[in-house]
PDB file of all heavy atoms in Angstrom:
ATOM      1  N   GLU A   1      10.483  -5.410  -1.067  1.00 93.00           N
ATOM      2  CA  GLU A   1      11.856  -4.925  -0.860  1.00 93.00           C
ATOM      3  C   GLU A   1      11.863  -3.599  -0.105  1.00 93.00           C
ATOM      4  O   GLU A   1      12.726  -3.360   0.750  1.00 93.00           O
ATOM      5  CB  GLU A   1      12.558  -4.769  -2.211  1.00 93.00           C
ATOM      6  CG  GLU A   1      12.904  -6.081  -2.913  1.00 93.00           C
ATOM      7  CD  GLU A   1      11.693  -6.802  -3.490  1.00 93.00           C
ATOM      8  OE1 GLU A   1      10.650  -6.123  -3.706  1.00 93.00           O
ATOM      9  OE2 GLU A   1      11.768  -8.024  -3.715  1.00 93.00           O
ATOM     10  N   LEU A   2      10.886  -2.750  -0.414  1.00 91.00           N
ATOM     11  CA  LEU A   2      10.796  -1.471   0.285  1.00 91.00           C
ATOM     12  C   LEU A   2      10.542  -1.684   1.778  1.00 91.00           C
ATOM     13  O   LEU A   2      11.198  -1.051   2.627  1.00 91.00           O
ATOM     14  CB  LEU A   2       9.667  -0.634  -0.321  1.00 91.00           C
ATOM     15  CG  LEU A   2       9.328   0.667   0.410  1.00 91.00           C
ATOM     16  CD1 LEU A   2      10.494   1.645   0.336  1.00 91.00           C
ATOM     17  CD2 LEU A   2       8.056   1.295  -0.150  1.00 91.00           C
ATOM     18  N   ILE A   3       9.607  -2.570   2.125  1.00 90.00           N
ATOM     19  CA  ILE A   3       9.279  -2.800   3.529  1.00 90.00           C
ATOM     20  C   ILE A   3      10.455  -3.434   4.267  1.00 90.00           C
ATOM     21  O   ILE A   3      10.735  -3.097   5.429  1.00 90.00           O
ATOM     22  CB  ILE A   3       8.012  -3.670   3.646  1.00 90.00           C
ATOM     23  CG1 ILE A   3       6.804  -2.911   3.093  1.00 90.00           C
ATOM     24  CG2 ILE A   3       7.754  -4.048   5.098  1.00 90.00           C
ATOM     25  CD1 ILE A   3       5.516  -3.705   3.090  1.00 90.00           C
ATOM     26  N   ILE A   4      11.182  -4.355   3.608  1.00 91.00           N
ATOM     27  CA  ILE A   4      12.356  -4.969   4.241  1.00 91.00           C
ATOM     28  C   ILE A   4      13.388  -3.907   4.597  1.00 91.00           C
ATOM     29  O   ILE A   4      13.913  -3.859   5.720  1.00 91.00           O
ATOM     30  CB  ILE A   4      12.977  -6.040   3.316  1.00 91.00           C
ATOM     31  CG1 ILE A   4      12.063  -7.259   3.223  1.00 91.00           C
ATOM     32  CG2 ILE A   4      14.360  -6.463   3.835  1.00 91.00           C
ATOM     33  CD1 ILE A   4      12.526  -8.303   2.225  1.00 91.00           C
ATOM     34  N   ASP A   5      13.706  -3.039   3.631  1.00 87.00           N
ATOM     35  CA  ASP A   5      14.703  -2.002   3.893  1.00 87.00           C
ATOM     36  C   ASP A   5      14.178  -0.946   4.860  1.00 87.00           C
ATOM     37  O   ASP A   5      14.962  -0.299   5.564  1.00 87.00           O
ATOM     38  CB  ASP A   5      15.117  -1.325   2.579  1.00 87.00           C
ATOM     39  CG  ASP A   5      16.011  -2.220   1.726  1.00 87.00           C
ATOM     40  OD1 ASP A   5      16.601  -3.161   2.288  1.00 87.00           O
ATOM     41  OD2 ASP A   5      16.103  -1.979   0.516  1.00 87.00           O
ATOM     42  N   TRP A   6      12.867  -0.770   4.880  1.00 83.00           N
ATOM     43  CA  TRP A   6      12.270   0.299   5.687  1.00 83.00           C
ATOM     44  C   TRP A   6      12.114  -0.107   7.148  1.00 83.00           C
ATOM     45  O   TRP A   6      12.621   0.567   8.050  1.00 83.00           O
ATOM     46  CB  TRP A   6      10.923   0.676   5.075  1.00 83.00           C
ATOM     47  CG  TRP A   6      10.220   1.828   5.706  1.00 83.00           C
ATOM     48  CD1 TRP A   6      10.784   2.902   6.350  1.00 83.00           C
ATOM     49  CD2 TRP A   6       8.806   2.028   5.766  1.00 83.00           C
ATOM     50  NE1 TRP A   6       9.816   3.761   6.792  1.00 83.00           N
ATOM     51  CE2 TRP A   6       8.596   3.260   6.447  1.00 83.00           C
ATOM     52  CE3 TRP A   6       7.710   1.319   5.280  1.00 83.00           C
ATOM     53  CZ2 TRP A   6       7.318   3.768   6.668  1.00 83.00           C
ATOM     54  CZ3 TRP A   6       6.441   1.830   5.497  1.00 83.00           C
ATOM     55  CH2 TRP A   6       6.251   3.038   6.186  1.00 83.00           C
ATOM     56  N   VAL A   7      11.411  -1.231   7.396  1.00 82.00           N
ATOM     57  CA  VAL A   7      11.104  -1.607   8.783  1.00 82.00           C
ATOM     58  C   VAL A   7      11.492  -3.032   9.144  1.00 82.00           C
ATOM     59  O   VAL A   7      11.357  -3.418  10.307  1.00 82.00           O
ATOM     60  CB  VAL A   7       9.602  -1.393   9.078  1.00 82.00           C
ATOM     61  CG1 VAL A   7       9.249   0.077   9.061  1.00 82.00           C
ATOM     62  CG2 VAL A   7       8.733  -2.158   8.094  1.00 82.00           C
ATOM     63  N   GLY A   8      11.934  -3.848   8.184  1.00 82.00           N
ATOM     64  CA  GLY A   8      12.421  -5.171   8.549  1.00 82.00           C
ATOM     65  C   GLY A   8      11.656  -6.323   7.923  1.00 82.00           C
ATOM     66  O   GLY A   8      10.577  -6.167   7.353  1.00 82.00           O
ATOM     67  N   VAL A   9      12.240  -7.515   8.078  1.00 86.00           N
ATOM     68  CA  VAL A   9      11.718  -8.717   7.418  1.00 86.00           C
ATOM     69  C   VAL A   9      10.377  -9.145   7.984  1.00 86.00           C
ATOM     70  O   VAL A   9       9.485  -9.579   7.241  1.00 86.00           O
ATOM     71  CB  VAL A   9      12.743  -9.867   7.545  1.00 86.00           C
ATOM     72  CG1 VAL A   9      12.174 -11.164   6.972  1.00 86.00           C
ATOM     73  CG2 VAL A   9      14.048  -9.515   6.844  1.00 86.00           C
ATOM     74  N   SER A  10      10.188  -9.049   9.311  1.00 84.00           N
ATOM     75  CA  SER A  10       8.937  -9.543   9.904  1.00 84.00           C
ATOM     76  C   SER A  10       7.732  -8.786   9.350  1.00 84.00           C
ATOM     77  O   SER A  10       6.692  -9.389   9.056  1.00 84.00           O
ATOM     78  CB  SER A  10       8.988  -9.410  11.427  1.00 84.00           C
ATOM     79  OG  SER A  10       9.098  -8.057  11.819  1.00 84.00           O
ATOM     80  N   PHE A  11       7.873  -7.476   9.199  1.00 85.00           N
ATOM     81  CA  PHE A  11       6.782  -6.704   8.609  1.00 85.00           C
ATOM     82  C   PHE A  11       6.603  -7.050   7.135  1.00 85.00           C
ATOM     83  O   PHE A  11       5.481  -7.102   6.637  1.00 85.00           O
ATOM     84  CB  PHE A  11       7.046  -5.210   8.782  1.00 85.00           C
ATOM     85  CG  PHE A  11       6.488  -4.642  10.046  1.00 85.00           C
ATOM     86  CD1 PHE A  11       7.156  -4.813  11.246  1.00 85.00           C
ATOM     87  CD2 PHE A  11       5.288  -3.954  10.061  1.00 85.00           C
ATOM     88  CE1 PHE A  11       6.645  -4.300  12.428  1.00 85.00           C
ATOM     89  CE2 PHE A  11       4.764  -3.438  11.232  1.00 85.00           C
ATOM     90  CZ  PHE A  11       5.447  -3.619  12.432  1.00 85.00           C
ATOM     91  N   ALA A  12       7.692  -7.282   6.417  1.00 88.00           N
ATOM     92  CA  ALA A  12       7.589  -7.622   4.995  1.00 88.00           C
ATOM     93  C   ALA A  12       6.849  -8.932   4.794  1.00 88.00           C
ATOM     94  O   ALA A  12       6.049  -9.078   3.859  1.00 88.00           O
ATOM     95  CB  ALA A  12       8.976  -7.694   4.376  1.00 88.00           C
ATOM     96  N   GLU A  13       7.080  -9.900   5.673  1.00 88.00           N
ATOM     97  CA  GLU A  13       6.421 -11.198   5.540  1.00 88.00           C
ATOM     98  C   GLU A  13       4.909 -11.090   5.678  1.00 88.00           C
ATOM     99  O   GLU A  13       4.162 -11.805   5.012  1.00 88.00           O
ATOM    100  CB  GLU A  13       6.973 -12.159   6.599  1.00 88.00           C
ATOM    101  CG  GLU A  13       8.415 -12.599   6.338  1.00 88.00           C
ATOM    102  CD  GLU A  13       8.939 -13.505   7.438  1.00 88.00           C
ATOM    103  OE1 GLU A  13       8.227 -13.662   8.464  1.00 88.00           O
ATOM    104  OE2 GLU A  13      10.042 -14.040   7.287  1.00 88.00           O
ATOM    105  N   HIS A  14       4.461 -10.189   6.534  1.00 88.00           N
ATOM    106  CA  HIS A  14       3.026 -10.093   6.800  1.00 88.00           C
ATOM    107  C   HIS A  14       2.335  -8.976   6.023  1.00 88.00           C
ATOM    108  O   HIS A  14       1.129  -9.045   5.772  1.00 88.00           O
ATOM    109  CB  HIS A  14       2.780  -9.860   8.295  1.00 88.00           C
ATOM    110  CG  HIS A  14       3.184 -11.000   9.166  1.00 88.00           C
ATOM    111  ND1 HIS A  14       4.416 -11.081   9.779  1.00 88.00           N
ATOM    112  CD2 HIS A  14       2.520 -12.122   9.528  1.00 88.00           C
ATOM    113  CE1 HIS A  14       4.487 -12.189  10.478  1.00 88.00           C
ATOM    114  NE2 HIS A  14       3.350 -12.840  10.359  1.00 88.00           N
ATOM    115  N   ALA A  15       3.071  -7.919   5.643  1.00 88.00           N
ATOM    116  CA  ALA A  15       2.431  -6.708   5.120  1.00 88.00           C
ATOM    117  C   ALA A  15       2.626  -6.489   3.626  1.00 88.00           C
ATOM    118  O   ALA A  15       1.884  -5.710   3.028  1.00 88.00           O
ATOM    119  CB  ALA A  15       2.940  -5.484   5.877  1.00 88.00           C
ATOM    120  N   SER A  16       3.621  -7.150   2.998  1.00 89.00           N
ATOM    121  CA  SER A  16       3.916  -6.830   1.590  1.00 89.00           C
ATOM    122  C   SER A  16       2.775  -7.204   0.658  1.00 89.00           C
ATOM    123  O   SER A  16       2.469  -6.466  -0.291  1.00 89.00           O
ATOM    124  CB  SER A  16       5.210  -7.520   1.153  1.00 89.00           C
ATOM    125  OG  SER A  16       5.123  -8.922   1.314  1.00 89.00           O
ATOM    126  N   ALA A  17       2.114  -8.338   0.906  1.00 90.00           N
ATOM    127  CA  ALA A  17       0.982  -8.726   0.051  1.00 90.00           C
ATOM    128  C   ALA A  17      -0.167  -7.745   0.199  1.00 90.00           C
ATOM    129  O   ALA A  17      -0.858  -7.422  -0.776  1.00 90.00           O
ATOM    130  CB  ALA A  17       0.531 -10.143   0.399  1.00 90.00           C
ATOM    131  N   LEU A  18      -0.367  -7.244   1.417  1.00 92.00           N
ATOM    132  CA  LEU A  18      -1.417  -6.250   1.638  1.00 92.00           C
ATOM    133  C   LEU A  18      -1.119  -4.967   0.875  1.00 92.00           C
ATOM    134  O   LEU A  18      -2.030  -4.332   0.327  1.00 92.00           O
ATOM    135  CB  LEU A  18      -1.525  -5.916   3.130  1.00 92.00           C
ATOM    136  CG  LEU A  18      -2.322  -6.844   4.040  1.00 92.00           C
ATOM    137  CD1 LEU A  18      -1.600  -8.179   4.242  1.00 92.00           C
ATOM    138  CD2 LEU A  18      -2.566  -6.182   5.386  1.00 92.00           C
ATOM    139  N   LEU A  19       0.150  -4.597   0.816  1.00 92.00           N
ATOM    140  CA  LEU A  19       0.527  -3.356   0.155  1.00 92.00           C
ATOM    141  C   LEU A  19       0.145  -3.376  -1.320  1.00 92.00           C
ATOM    142  O   LEU A  19      -0.374  -2.389  -1.850  1.00 92.00           O
ATOM    143  CB  LEU A  19       2.034  -3.122   0.306  1.00 92.00           C
ATOM    144  CG  LEU A  19       2.593  -1.842  -0.303  1.00 92.00           C
ATOM    145  CD1 LEU A  19       1.915  -0.613   0.288  1.00 92.00           C
ATOM    146  CD2 LEU A  19       4.097  -1.762  -0.087  1.00 92.00           C
ATOM    147  N   ALA A  20       0.367  -4.499  -2.000  1.00 92.00           N
ATOM    148  CA  ALA A  20       0.022  -4.598  -3.421  1.00 92.00           C
ATOM    149  C   ALA A  20      -1.488  -4.477  -3.629  1.00 92.00           C
ATOM    150  O   ALA A  20      -1.958  -3.766  -4.526  1.00 92.00           O
ATOM    151  CB  ALA A  20       0.535  -5.912  -3.993  1.00 92.00           C
ATOM    152  N   VAL A  21      -2.262  -5.169  -2.788  1.00 93.00           N
ATOM    153  CA  VAL A  21      -3.731  -5.126  -2.911  1.00 93.00           C
ATOM    154  C   VAL A  21      -4.258  -3.717  -2.677  1.00 93.00           C
ATOM    155  O   VAL A  21      -5.068  -3.186  -3.451  1.00 93.00           O
ATOM    156  CB  VAL A  21      -4.374  -6.114  -1.912  1.00 93.00           C
ATOM    157  CG1 VAL A  21      -5.898  -5.952  -1.901  1.00 93.00           C
ATOM    158  CG2 VAL A  21      -3.997  -7.542  -2.249  1.00 93.00           C
ATOM    159  N   LEU A  22      -3.784  -3.084  -1.607  1.00 93.00           N
ATOM    160  CA  LEU A  22      -4.275  -1.754  -1.251  1.00 93.00           C
ATOM    161  C   LEU A  22      -3.772  -0.687  -2.213  1.00 93.00           C
ATOM    162  O   LEU A  22      -4.432   0.337  -2.415  1.00 93.00           O
ATOM    163  CB  LEU A  22      -3.863  -1.416   0.180  1.00 93.00           C
ATOM    164  CG  LEU A  22      -4.481  -2.320   1.265  1.00 93.00           C
ATOM    165  CD1 LEU A  22      -3.921  -1.970   2.639  1.00 93.00           C
ATOM    166  CD2 LEU A  22      -6.001  -2.209   1.275  1.00 93.00           C
ATOM    167  N   ALA A  23      -2.597  -0.912  -2.825  1.00 93.00           N
ATOM    168  CA  ALA A  23      -2.085   0.049  -3.810  1.00 93.00           C
ATOM    169  C   ALA A  23      -2.992   0.106  -5.036  1.00 93.00           C
ATOM    170  O   ALA A  23      -3.287   1.187  -5.559  1.00 93.00           O
ATOM    171  CB  ALA A  23      -0.663  -0.325  -4.221  1.00 93.00           C
ATOM    172  N   VAL A  24      -3.441  -1.059  -5.505  1.00 94.00           N
ATOM    173  CA  VAL A  24      -4.358  -1.088  -6.656  1.00 94.00           C
ATOM    174  C   VAL A  24      -5.665  -0.397  -6.307  1.00 94.00           C
ATOM    175  O   VAL A  24      -6.186   0.432  -7.071  1.00 94.00           O
ATOM    176  CB  VAL A  24      -4.621  -2.548  -7.087  1.00 94.00           C
ATOM    177  CG1 VAL A  24      -5.711  -2.593  -8.160  1.00 94.00           C
ATOM    178  CG2 VAL A  24      -3.341  -3.190  -7.611  1.00 94.00           C
ATOM    179  N   SER A  25      -6.211  -0.708  -5.128  1.00 94.00           N
ATOM    180  CA  SER A  25      -7.467  -0.093  -4.700  1.00 94.00           C
ATOM    181  C   SER A  25      -7.336   1.421  -4.569  1.00 94.00           C
ATOM    182  O   SER A  25      -8.195   2.176  -5.034  1.00 94.00           O
ATOM    183  CB  SER A  25      -7.890  -0.705  -3.360  1.00 94.00           C
ATOM    184  OG  SER A  25      -8.964   0.006  -2.799  1.00 94.00           O
ATOM    185  N   THR A  26      -6.253   1.878  -3.949  1.00 93.00           N
ATOM    186  CA  THR A  26      -6.045   3.315  -3.754  1.00 93.00           C
ATOM    187  C   THR A  26      -5.907   4.030  -5.086  1.00 93.00           C
ATOM    188  O   THR A  26      -6.407   5.150  -5.269  1.00 93.00           O
ATOM    189  CB  THR A  26      -4.789   3.551  -2.897  1.00 93.00           C
ATOM    190  OG1 THR A  26      -4.950   2.891  -1.639  1.00 93.00           O
ATOM    191  CG2 THR A  26      -4.559   5.037  -2.660  1.00 93.00           C
ATOM    192  N   THR A  27      -5.238   3.399  -6.044  1.00 94.00           N
ATOM    193  CA  THR A  27      -5.065   4.001  -7.366  1.00 94.00           C
ATOM    194  C   THR A  27      -6.410   4.243  -8.039  1.00 94.00           C
ATOM    195  O   THR A  27      -6.671   5.334  -8.573  1.00 94.00           O
ATOM    196  CB  THR A  27      -4.207   3.092  -8.255  1.00 94.00           C
ATOM    197  OG1 THR A  27      -2.940   2.885  -7.628  1.00 94.00           O
ATOM    198  CG2 THR A  27      -3.982   3.708  -9.629  1.00 94.00           C
ATOM    199  N   LEU A  28      -7.273   3.241  -8.008  1.00 95.00           N
ATOM    200  CA  LEU A  28      -8.553   3.341  -8.711  1.00 95.00           C
ATOM    201  C   LEU A  28      -9.553   4.236  -7.986  1.00 95.00           C
ATOM    202  O   LEU A  28     -10.348   4.936  -8.623  1.00 95.00           O
ATOM    203  CB  LEU A  28      -9.147   1.946  -8.891  1.00 95.00           C
ATOM    204  CG  LEU A  28      -8.341   0.963  -9.754  1.00 95.00           C
ATOM    205  CD1 LEU A  28      -9.008  -0.407  -9.745  1.00 95.00           C
ATOM    206  CD2 LEU A  28      -8.199   1.490 -11.173  1.00 95.00           C
ATOM    207  N   THR A  29      -9.525   4.224  -6.652  1.00 93.00           N
ATOM    208  CA  THR A  29     -10.575   4.900  -5.892  1.00 93.00           C
ATOM    209  C   THR A  29     -10.186   6.311  -5.462  1.00 93.00           C
ATOM    210  O   THR A  29     -10.924   7.268  -5.719  1.00 93.00           O
ATOM    211  CB  THR A  29     -10.950   4.082  -4.648  1.00 93.00           C
ATOM    212  OG1 THR A  29      -9.791   3.927  -3.804  1.00 93.00           O
ATOM    213  CG2 THR A  29     -11.451   2.712  -5.042  1.00 93.00           C
ATOM    214  N   VAL A  30      -9.030   6.446  -4.822  1.00 91.00           N
ATOM    215  CA  VAL A  30      -8.647   7.751  -4.296  1.00 91.00           C
ATOM    216  C   VAL A  30      -7.996   8.603  -5.379  1.00 91.00           C
ATOM    217  O   VAL A  30      -8.427   9.723  -5.660  1.00 91.00           O
ATOM    218  CB  VAL A  30      -7.708   7.612  -3.088  1.00 91.00           C
ATOM    219  CG1 VAL A  30      -7.393   8.983  -2.501  1.00 91.00           C
ATOM    220  CG2 VAL A  30      -8.334   6.725  -2.028  1.00 91.00           C
ATOM    221  N   ALA A  31      -6.952   8.061  -6.014  1.00 91.00           N
ATOM    222  CA  ALA A  31      -6.286   8.834  -7.069  1.00 91.00           C
ATOM    223  C   ALA A  31      -7.226   9.108  -8.234  1.00 91.00           C
ATOM    224  O   ALA A  31      -7.202  10.188  -8.819  1.00 91.00           O
ATOM    225  CB  ALA A  31      -5.045   8.078  -7.551  1.00 91.00           C
ATOM    226  N   GLY A  32      -8.074   8.128  -8.578  1.00 92.00           N
ATOM    227  CA  GLY A  32      -8.912   8.258  -9.762  1.00 92.00           C
ATOM    228  C   GLY A  32     -10.249   8.938  -9.553  1.00 92.00           C
ATOM    229  O   GLY A  32     -10.866   9.378 -10.533  1.00 92.00           O
ATOM    230  N   GLN A  33     -10.737   9.025  -8.296  1.00 93.00           N
ATOM    231  CA  GLN A  33     -12.101   9.545  -8.116  1.00 93.00           C
ATOM    232  C   GLN A  33     -12.284  10.460  -6.914  1.00 93.00           C
ATOM    233  O   GLN A  33     -13.412  10.891  -6.645  1.00 93.00           O
ATOM    234  CB  GLN A  33     -13.092   8.369  -7.993  1.00 93.00           C
ATOM    235  CG  GLN A  33     -13.349   7.631  -9.279  1.00 93.00           C
ATOM    236  CD  GLN A  33     -14.015   8.497 -10.338  1.00 93.00           C
ATOM    237  OE1 GLN A  33     -14.668   9.487 -10.033  1.00 93.00           O
ATOM    238  NE2 GLN A  33     -13.853   8.129 -11.604  1.00 93.00           N
ATOM    239  N   PHE A  34     -11.233  10.801  -6.196  1.00 90.00           N
ATOM    240  CA  PHE A  34     -11.403  11.642  -5.017  1.00 90.00           C
ATOM    241  C   PHE A  34     -12.061  12.975  -5.361  1.00 90.00           C
ATOM    242  O   PHE A  34     -12.906  13.489  -4.628  1.00 90.00           O
ATOM    243  CB  PHE A  34     -10.051  11.883  -4.342  1.00 90.00           C
ATOM    244  CG  PHE A  34     -10.143  12.666  -3.056  1.00 90.00           C
ATOM    245  CD1 PHE A  34     -10.530  12.047  -1.888  1.00 90.00           C
ATOM    246  CD2 PHE A  34      -9.850  14.021  -3.020  1.00 90.00           C
ATOM    247  CE1 PHE A  34     -10.627  12.755  -0.694  1.00 90.00           C
ATOM    248  CE2 PHE A  34      -9.945  14.744  -1.839  1.00 90.00           C
ATOM    249  CZ  PHE A  34     -10.333  14.108  -0.672  1.00 90.00           C
ATOM    250  N   ASN A  35     -11.677  13.554  -6.485  1.00 90.00           N
ATOM    251  CA  ASN A  35     -12.228  14.848  -6.867  1.00 90.00           C
ATOM    252  C   ASN A  35     -13.710  14.787  -7.213  1.00 90.00           C
ATOM    253  O   ASN A  35     -14.419  15.793  -7.091  1.00 90.00           O
ATOM    254  CB  ASN A  35     -11.445  15.424  -8.048  1.00 90.00           C
ATOM    255  CG  ASN A  35     -10.062  15.889  -7.636  1.00 90.00           C
ATOM    256  OD1 ASN A  35      -9.899  16.911  -6.987  1.00 90.00           O
ATOM    257  ND2 ASN A  35      -9.049  15.111  -8.001  1.00 90.00           N
ATOM    258  N   SER A  36     -14.188  13.615  -7.625  1.00 94.00           N
ATOM    259  CA  SER A  36     -15.633  13.480  -7.870  1.00 94.00           C
ATOM    260  C   SER A  36     -16.409  13.685  -6.576  1.00 94.00           C
ATOM    261  O   SER A  36     -17.444  14.361  -6.549  1.00 94.00           O
ATOM    262  CB  SER A  36     -15.940  12.100  -8.460  1.00 94.00           C
ATOM    263  OG  SER A  36     -15.361  11.949  -9.738  1.00 94.00           O
ATOM    264  N   GLY A  37     -15.916  13.089  -5.497  1.00 90.00           N
ATOM    265  CA  GLY A  37     -16.561  13.287  -4.208  1.00 90.00           C
ATOM    266  C   GLY A  37     -16.498  14.736  -3.756  1.00 90.00           C
ATOM    267  O   GLY A  37     -17.474  15.276  -3.221  1.00 90.00           O
ATOM    268  N   MET A  38     -15.351  15.385  -3.984  1.00 87.00           N
ATOM    269  CA  MET A  38     -15.206  16.778  -3.570  1.00 87.00           C
ATOM    270  C   MET A  38     -16.116  17.707  -4.384  1.00 87.00           C
ATOM    271  O   MET A  38     -16.600  18.716  -3.881  1.00 87.00           O
ATOM    272  CB  MET A  38     -13.754  17.212  -3.720  1.00 87.00           C
ATOM    273  CG  MET A  38     -12.795  16.591  -2.716  1.00 87.00           C
ATOM    274  SD  MET A  38     -13.205  17.000  -0.976  1.00 87.00           S
ATOM    275  CE  MET A  38     -14.076  15.512  -0.465  1.00 87.00           C
TER     276      MET A  38
END
């Protein structure tokens, strides 16, 4: 819904599934462990 309102239906059809996958990955890796690397 965010992508539809933001940039349109064509992007939502192709990008929304990617957003969910990458959101989970970003949560666990960057949000959860970035400071370990630093």
Side-chain angles (χ1 to χ4, degrees):
E1 289 73 21
L2 173 65
I3 295 177
I4 290 174
D5 286 340
W6 185 29
V7 293
V9 175
S10 63
F11 270 80
E13 289 178 352
H14 294 94
S16 58
L18 278 71
L19 181 58
V21 173
L22 296 176
V24 173
S25 170
T26 301
T27 302
L28 297 176
T29 60
V30 184
Q33 288 296 337
F34 184 79
N35 288 286
S36 295
M38 289 299 99

